[in-house]
Amino acid sequence: MAIRVQKIINSTNAQKAKAALIFRLPEEPENDWQRLLEEIAENDNVTLAYRDDGGVQIFWVVPKED
């Protein structure tokens, strides 16, 4: 599950948009999914938006280096 989500986040389109839309697959345990989302949310400059359709939109900002 983590590898699948990582591939989505690292895709060219997601990197350009600085956003990705992820969904939990039916065979993925709910508690593992929640733990993964918590770990993603812990990162600085990352925002999670929970959608009505069950998806989670991830947005991130790349800070400018001084």
Side-chain angles (χ1 to χ4, degrees):
M1 173 178 54
I3 293 170
R4 179 180 67 80
V5 170
Q6 185 177 34
K7 285 180 182 179
I8 294 168
I9 292 170
N10 289 332
S11 73
T12 303
N13 288 341
Q15 289 297 307
K16 285 180 185 175
K18 295 186 179 32
L21 177 59
I22 59 173
F23 290 90
R24 180 177 70 85
L25 299 180
E27 65 271 12
E28 296 171 338
E30 176 69 29
N31 58 341
D32 290 347
W33 178 250
Q34 290 303 325
R35 188 174 332 120
L36 177 66
L37 294 177
E38 288 169 11
E39 290 175 7
I40 292 170
E42 288 175 359
N43 291 286
D44 290 338
N45 305 310
V46 173
T47 303
L48 300 183
Y50 294 85
R51 296 169 30 133
D52 292 340
D53 64 2
V56 179
Q57 187 81 41
I58 305 169
F59 302 95
W60 61 91
V61 176
V62 178
K64 296 200 186 285
E65 298 201 12
D66 296 332

